[in-house]
Amino acid sequence: MLAIGRALMNRPALLLLDEPSAWSVADPGQGDFTIIRRVNEEQGMSILLVEQNAKVALETAHYGYVLEIGRVVMNDSCERLMHSKDIQEFYLGAKGSRRRGERRWKKKKTWR
């Protein structure tokens, strides 16, 4: 939280945030993401957010990129990414319709 305040004092055009969900111990990420949304909406500041918590990141951002082993495998609006079957199954924990005995990690992703 202090890091965001210090960064905002310089009035940047672009705010870069790396794993803000890891900053808070008591309430992982929820308060920080509320502030991030407010800064974006009220000040119109562009924010580049790097986050492993896919659910919170997709709820916060407008546009998202999915990286796998350092390369972009999907990009779209966060609304569309949240409704993607691959994103739901592999990153948001939704269970797909799999046959008995089929392992999730053996399933091919559509972007490969």
Side-chain angles (χ1 to χ4, degrees):
M1 194 71 76
L2 179 62
I4 293 174
R6 289 184 67 187
L8 291 176
M9 287 173 37
N10 291 324
R11 305 215 184 276
L14 175 66
L15 186 62
L16 306 173
L17 299 175
D18 184 24
E19 297 286 341
S21 66
W23 300 346
S24 178
V25 177
D27 184 17
Q30 295 307 314
D32 295 334
F33 283 96
T34 302
I35 291 171
I36 292 167
R37 282 186 211 104
R38 283 188 59 200
V39 167
N40 175 252
E41 291 168 5
E42 293 174 7
Q43 296 187 10
M45 184 178 298
S46 296
I47 299 173
L48 176 62
L49 174 68
V50 177
E51 181 59 57
Q52 287 188 22
N53 184 339
K55 183 179 184 314
V56 176
L58 289 173
E59 289 171 349
T60 303
H62 300 288
Y63 198 85
Y65 294 87
V66 179
L67 299 176
E68 196 170 88
I69 313 172
R71 72 175 221 264
V72 177
V73 293
M74 287 182 88
N75 63 307
D76 209 337
S77 70
C78 288
E79 184 69 30
R80 293 179 86 183
L81 286 174
M82 283 188 102
H83 291 92
S84 163
K85 292 196 184 287
D86 278 338
I87 299 297
Q88 287 179 2
E89 184 171 353
F90 290 101
Y91 295 102
L92 300 176
K95 293 186 179 186
S97 57
R98 294 189 302 270
R99 294 176 300 205
R100 182 176 168 87
E102 184 180 6
R103 301 286 186 236
R104 179 175 145 197
W105 59 87
K106 290 185 179 180
K107 181 180 181 269
K108 295 271 188 203
K109 297 173 186 164
T110 58
W111 59 77
R112 287 192 179 181

